[in-house]
């Protein structure tokens, strides 16, 4: 009613009749996963509490840029991408330093283990 979401009233029928027209599948879970990748979220009403399955098969989805009559906003709905370029060089250096420290610690522990093994053999 408010124009900022859409409803799927019958998931079975939607998956059977609508999804195959636009996707290579008829799997509702795959469709929901695609929606999530584009930033859509399932609307959970307070009276449902998110824990109780609603009596009717009505699923509602919303996105901040999905608003009735605001077609110009649709271009802002983009697939979320995690790129390697978003990792900063200093983060990589810190991680390399951590790996170097771990390797050094392992070498020290290995040396101590060998020393303890030698002592144990001598004691036997």
């Amino acid at each position: 009613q408010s124009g900022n979401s859409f409803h799927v009233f019958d998931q079975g029928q939607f998956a059977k009749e609508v999804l195959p027209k636009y996707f290579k599948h008829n799997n509702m879970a795959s469709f929901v996963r695609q929606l999530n990748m584009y930033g859509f979220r399932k609307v959970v009403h307070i009276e449902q509490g998110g824990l109780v399955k609603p009596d009717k098969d009505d699923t509602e989805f919303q996105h901040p840029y999905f608003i009735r009559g605001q077609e110009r906003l649709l271009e802002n709905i983009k697939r979320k991408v995690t790129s390697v370029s978003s990792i900063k060089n200093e983060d990589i250096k810190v991680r390399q330093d951590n790996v170097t420290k771990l390797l050094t610690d392992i070498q020290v522990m290995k040396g101590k283990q060998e020393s303890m093994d030698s002592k144990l053999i001598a004691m036997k």
Side-chain angles (χ1 to χ4, degrees):
Q1 287 180 331
S2 63
N4 64 354
S5 66
F6 72 92
H7 290 256
V8 176
F9 292 107
D10 183 337
Q11 289 186 22
Q13 184 179 3
F14 181 81
K16 183 179 168 187
E17 296 177 13
V18 178
L19 289 181
K21 290 181 182 179
Y22 302 98
F23 297 94
K24 295 178 183 175
H25 64 80
N26 63 351
N27 186 328
M28 188 64 186
S30 294
F31 176 68
V32 171
R33 190 168 40 253
Q34 286 290 318
L35 286 174
N36 289 334
M37 281 197 275
Y38 281 87
F40 282 83
R41 293 292 170 246
K42 185 176 177 181
V43 177
V44 179
H45 296 282
I46 296 171
E47 61 270 11
Q48 292 173 356
L51 300 174
V52 180
K53 188 169 178 141
D55 293 335
K56 54 186 178 175
D57 186 18
D58 175 8
T59 309
E60 182 180 3
F61 297 94
Q62 70 178 35
H63 187 286
Y65 295 122
F66 187 81
I67 302 170
R68 184 188 304 129
Q70 302 289 323
E71 288 83 7
R72 60 182 171 69
L73 295 177
L74 294 175
E75 67 187 41
N76 297 316
I77 299 176
K78 295 184 169 97
R79 186 174 175 156
K80 295 178 180 178
V81 197
T82 305
S83 66
V84 176
S85 61
S86 66
I87 300 172
K88 298 176 183 160
N89 283 336
E90 54 266 16
D91 290 343
I92 293 170
K93 182 167 178 19
V94 167
R95 290 178 187 164
Q96 287 173 338
D97 292 346
N98 287 342
V99 169
T100 303
K101 184 181 181 328
L102 281 172
L103 289 173
T104 303
D105 290 349
I106 290 170
Q107 285 300 111
V108 168
M109 288 172 58
K110 189 175 178 183
K112 288 180 181 179
Q113 179 69 43
E114 288 171 356
S115 172
M116 290 174 69
D117 287 347
S118 297
K119 289 177 183 176
L120 185 60
I121 289 170
M123 288 171 69
K124 284 182 180 178

